[in-house]
Amino acid sequence: MPSTSPSPSQAPAPSGTSPAMPSGTSPPALPPSSQASTGSISSNASWLVWRRVLWVGFEDNIPIPCWTYHYRVDSLLKKIKPYLADLLNRHWGITAPLDVTFLNQGSFNRAFLVRICSDDSLHTAPKSTLPPLPNQVVLRLALPILPEIKILSEVATMRYVKHRTSIPVPQVYMYNASAANDLEFEWILMEYMPGQRFGDVEPSLSDDARKLFARKIADWVDSLSHLQFDEIGSLYMPCTTTDPPSASSSTTTPDGTDDGTVVISTDAIPDPVIGQLSNLNYTGDWRLEYDFNRGPFRNLQDFILSGAKANFIEVRDPRQQVRAEFNQAYIKREEASKEGEAGKALAEKEGKRVEELRNRRIPIYWSGGPDSDNWESRPRDQITSICQYDDDVPTCPVVMEFGQSFFRYAAQDLEQHREVSKRLMDLVYSIIPNTPLGPRSTVLNHWDINGGNVLVDGTGQPTALLDWEFIFTMPFTLAQFYPKVLDVSMRDQSDSERDPSDPEREAMWKTEKMEEEFHERMKELKSPWLVVNNGREYPTMGRKSPYSTDLIVNLLYVTTGNRVVRRQDHKMVRMLEKKVKAAKSASQKPASAI
C-alpha cells in the first residue's frame, strides 16, 4: 500500500543560492537524538576552516577535501610537536621530548606515530581517572569531510565496541571534533596497534593460517551482530554542550578558553545513543546546507527516503544548473577552437558565455592536466589563479586543475534527472512501509572489513580492526554480512578450481576456502547472521514489506548507495517501476521482513 507520507514535490528547496555560505554562518548543527543531544557545532571557526580546505573531484564527480601545500607533512610536524607536548604535559605530566613521524595516509586521514622519548613504558596521569599513556601512540588528523559529526561518532563507536566486545580496537585517549584548534584539523589520539596489514602479508600465509584468520574474523562479525538497536543511525555518547559526560573532560588553553579537546577518562562508559547518520552520502558540494532528514531513522522508509531526497534537492539546486552550463560552454569553446577559422565565431560566443558564468562565482571544478592529483606540492600562488582568496579564505570550496572538463551533472541531463528523482521518491513511498522498526532490529555493522583495515601478527592472526568512521546501524537484511576481506565477489572473476600456476585462480580458490571456514565458524557460534543469510525471516525485523528483499536492496542502492543522480539510474527506476506494477497485478504476497 502506498504511504500517506507527503508527496516528493513538497521536499524542501535548497537553503540558498549563494555560491558559498555567508561569513558568520555555521554548518548544520547535529540534531538531538531521542534521548540526548550529541552535541552541536558551536563555532563559526569550524566552518571557516572547512572552507579553507581545497576540494577536488572524486568518484562520480563528488568533491572531497584534499591535502594541499598548506598542509604538507613537514608543515604539520612543526605544529604537532608543540601542540601535543602541551596537552601531554598538562594531563599526564609528561615533560620528555616527543618524536613524531608520518605513519600512513587515507582518503580523509593522516596518521602520525608519536613516541615519548622516555625510559618509562607507561606514563601515569596525576588524575587517577585518566588511563596510563604508553610510550607510543597514534595521532590521526582528519580532513573535514563531515565536520565534527564524523569524529564524534567514530570515537563513540570505538569506545562502545571496545567496551562491549573482545574485538581489538584502539583505545582513544583524547580527541578534538572541531577543526578550530591550533592544528586546524579534527583529530584523535589513540592507542598504537602493532601488526601488519593483512593485505600485505596474505600471499605468504599458509592455508592453515588463512583458516584461523577466517575463524577469528567470524568471531568479530558475530560479536558485532549482538550489538542490536531499534533505529538506523550512528552512535554518539549521550552528552550535551552544557552537560559534558562523566567519562570525559574538556581541555582549556592557557588563556582559559575551551579549545575543544576532550580527554577520555576510565570512568564507566555510558550506553551510546543513536543519532544523525555519519554517511558519505551527506557530504560534498552543498549537501551540508540542504534541509533533509539525516537520522536517526525509526523506520526503513525514512532511511531510504533520505538519500533520495538529497539527490532530489541537489538536481534542483540552481547552482548545479549554472555549473553544468559553464562546463557545457567550456566544452563547446574548446571544440570550436580546434576548428581554427571555421570555429572562431562559435569559440568567441561560447568564450563570452564561459566568462559570464564564471563571474557568478559558483564553485567549478576540473580534472586533468599535469600533477592534477598532487596538490600538496603546489604553493598557494599556483592555486589562487583558479580560486580567489579573501582574507586567506577561498571564495569557492570546490576547485580542480584546468584541463579536460569534469563535471557533476551535464546540462542536457539535469531536466531528466529532476524528473527521475521525483519518480524515485514516489517508488520509495510505494515500496517501503513507514512502520516502525522492531526491537533489536538493527545491528552495528562494520561494512569495510578489508585487507587494509585488519592488522595481523607474524603468524597471520588478527591483532586489530581499524577504520571505524562512517559506521552505523542497519537492519540485518540490508547490512554487509560478508567481510570484504573474505568476499569472493570482491576478487576478479575466475574459475574456482585450484591452479597454483595461475595467481588469479589460486587467490580465488584460497578466498573461497577462507569463506567456507568463516561459515563453519558462524554455524558453531549460532550467529544471528545465519538466519538472515539463509533467507529466513528474522523474528525481530519488524513488519513485512509486500515486496522482495532484492527489490528493496535495488532501491537502497539507487538512493543511499549513490551520491549523484546518474544516467544509468534512469534505467534502474524504469525496472523498479515495472516490478512494482507486476507485483501489484499479481497481488504478490509478502516475501521479506524488514
Coordinates of all heavy atoms in Angstrom, one line a residue, residues 2 71 88 109 164-165 230 334 343 347 365 379 397-398 410 429 431 435 449 464 484 524 528 538 586 588:
P2 N 0.5 2.2 -0.8 CA 1.3 3.5 -0.8 C 1.2 4.2 0.6 O 0.2 4.1 1.3 CB 0.7 4.3 -1.9 CG -0.1 3.3 -2.7 CD -0.5 2.2 -1.8
Y71 N 49.2 22.2 4.0 CA 49.1 21.1 5.0 C 50.1 20.0 4.6 O 49.8 18.8 4.7 CB 47.7 20.6 5.1 CG 46.7 21.6 5.5 CD1 45.6 21.9 4.7 CD2 46.9 22.3 6.7 CE1 44.7 22.9 5.1 CE2 46.0 23.3 7.1 CZ 44.9 23.6 6.3 OH 44.0 24.5 6.7
L88 N 50.0 16.7 26.6 CA 50.5 15.6 27.4 C 51.1 16.1 28.7 O 51.0 15.4 29.7 CB 51.6 14.8 26.5 CG 51.1 14.2 25.2 CD1 52.1 13.4 24.6 CD2 49.8 13.3 25.5
N109 N 42.3 11.0 6.1 CA 43.0 11.0 7.3 C 44.5 10.9 7.1 O 45.0 10.3 6.1 CB 42.6 9.8 8.2 CG 41.1 9.8 8.5 OD1 40.6 10.7 9.0 ND2 40.5 8.7 8.1
R164 N 32.2 -3.4 24.9 CA 31.2 -4.4 24.8 C 31.6 -5.7 24.1 O 30.9 -6.7 24.1 CB 29.9 -3.9 24.1 CG 29.2 -2.8 24.9 CD 28.6 -3.4 26.2 NE 27.6 -4.4 25.9 CZ 26.3 -4.1 25.6 NH1 25.9 -2.8 25.7 NH2 25.5 -5.0 25.4
T165 N 32.8 -5.7 23.5 CA 33.2 -6.9 22.7 C 34.7 -7.2 23.0 O 35.4 -6.4 23.7 CB 33.1 -6.8 21.2 OG1 34.1 -5.9 20.7 CG2 31.7 -6.2 20.9
D230 N 17.2 -0.4 17.8 CA 15.9 -0.3 17.2 C 15.8 0.9 16.2 O 14.6 1.2 15.8 CB 14.8 -0.3 18.2 CG 14.9 0.9 19.2 OD1 15.8 1.7 19.0 OD2 14.1 1.0 20.1
E334 N 36.2 24.9 -26.4 CA 37.4 24.1 -26.7 C 37.3 23.4 -28.0 O 38.2 23.3 -28.8 CB 37.7 23.2 -25.5 CG 38.0 23.8 -24.2 CD 39.2 24.7 -24.3 OE1 40.3 24.2 -24.6 OE2 39.1 25.9 -24.1
G343 N 35.8 27.7 -36.7 CA 35.1 27.7 -35.4 C 35.3 28.9 -34.6 O 34.9 28.9 -33.4
A347 N 33.7 29.8 -31.0 CA 34.6 29.8 -29.9 C 34.5 31.2 -29.1 O 34.5 31.2 -27.9 CB 36.0 29.6 -30.3
Y365 N 34.7 22.9 -10.7 CA 35.9 22.1 -10.5 C 36.3 21.3 -11.8 O 35.5 21.1 -12.6 CB 35.8 21.2 -9.3 CG 34.6 20.3 -9.3 CD1 34.6 19.0 -9.6 CD2 33.3 20.8 -8.9 CE1 33.5 18.2 -9.6 CE2 32.2 20.1 -8.8 CZ 32.3 18.7 -9.2 OH 31.2 17.9 -9.1
P379 N 52.4 25.4 -4.4 CA 52.3 26.6 -3.5 C 51.0 27.2 -3.7 O 50.4 27.1 -4.8 CB 53.5 27.4 -4.0 CG 54.4 26.5 -4.7 CD 53.6 25.4 -5.3
P397 N 34.8 26.6 -2.4 CA 35.5 25.5 -1.7 C 35.8 24.3 -2.7 O 36.5 23.4 -2.3 CB 34.4 25.1 -0.7 CG 33.1 25.4 -1.3 CD 33.4 26.7 -2.1
V398 N 35.3 24.4 -3.9 CA 35.5 23.2 -4.8 C 36.3 23.7 -6.0 O 35.9 24.7 -6.7 CB 34.2 22.6 -5.3 CG1 34.4 21.4 -6.1 CG2 33.3 22.3 -4.0
A410 N 25.7 16.9 -16.4 CA 25.7 17.5 -17.7 C 24.4 18.4 -17.9 O 23.3 17.9 -17.4 CB 25.7 16.5 -18.8
Y429 N 8.0 5.8 -1.5 CA 6.8 5.8 -0.8 C 5.9 4.6 -1.1 O 5.2 4.1 -0.2 CB 6.0 7.1 -1.1 CG 6.5 8.3 -0.6 CD1 6.9 9.4 -1.4 CD2 6.7 8.5 0.8 CE1 7.5 10.6 -0.9 CE2 7.2 9.7 1.3 CZ 7.6 10.7 0.5 OH 8.1 11.9 1.0
I431 N 7.0 1.4 -2.2 CA 7.6 0.1 -1.9 C 7.9 -0.1 -0.4 O 7.7 -1.1 0.2 CB 8.9 -0.1 -2.7 CG1 8.6 -0.1 -4.2 CG2 9.7 -1.3 -2.3 CD1 9.8 -0.2 -5.0
T435 N 6.3 1.7 8.7 CA 6.0 1.2 10.0 C 7.3 1.1 10.8 O 8.4 1.0 10.3 CB 5.5 -0.3 9.9 OG1 6.3 -1.0 9.0 CG2 4.1 -0.3 9.4
I449 N 35.4 -4.3 6.5 CA 36.5 -5.1 7.0 C 37.3 -5.7 5.8 O 37.0 -6.8 5.3 CB 35.9 -6.3 7.8 CG1 35.0 -5.7 9.0 CG2 37.0 -7.1 8.4 CD1 34.4 -6.8 9.8
A464 N 44.1 -6.5 15.3 CA 43.3 -5.2 15.4 C 42.4 -5.0 14.2 O 42.7 -5.5 13.1 CB 44.3 -4.0 15.5
K484 N 34.6 -7.9 3.5 CA 35.2 -7.7 2.2 C 36.5 -8.6 2.0 O 36.8 -9.0 0.9 CB 35.5 -6.2 1.9 CG 34.3 -5.3 1.8 CD 34.7 -3.9 1.5 CE 33.5 -3.0 1.3 NZ 33.9 -1.6 1.1
E524 N 29.0 -22.7 14.2 CA 29.4 -23.1 15.6 C 28.9 -22.0 16.6 O 28.5 -22.4 17.7 CB 30.9 -23.2 15.7 CG 31.5 -24.4 14.9 CD 33.0 -24.4 14.9 OE1 33.6 -23.6 15.7 OE2 33.6 -25.1 14.1
P528 N 23.3 -14.8 14.8 CA 22.1 -14.3 14.2 C 22.2 -14.1 12.7 O 21.1 -14.1 12.0 CB 21.9 -13.0 14.9 CG 22.7 -13.1 16.2 CD 23.8 -14.0 15.9
Y538 N 13.9 -13.1 10.0 CA 14.5 -12.9 11.4 C 13.4 -12.4 12.3 O 12.7 -11.4 11.9 CB 15.6 -11.9 11.3 CG 16.5 -11.8 12.5 CD1 17.4 -12.8 12.8 CD2 16.3 -10.8 13.4 CE1 18.1 -12.8 14.0 CE2 17.1 -10.7 14.6 CZ 18.0 -11.7 14.9 OH 18.7 -11.6 16.0
A586 N -0.2 -9.1 -9.7 CA -0.2 -10.5 -9.3 C -0.6 -10.6 -7.8 O -0.6 -11.7 -7.3 CB 1.2 -11.1 -9.5
Q588 N 1.2 -10.0 -5.2 CA 2.3 -10.7 -4.6 C 2.2 -10.7 -3.1 O 2.0 -9.6 -2.5 CB 3.6 -10.1 -5.1 CG 4.8 -10.8 -4.5 CD 6.1 -10.2 -5.1 OE1 6.1 -9.7 -6.2 NE2 7.2 -10.2 -4.3

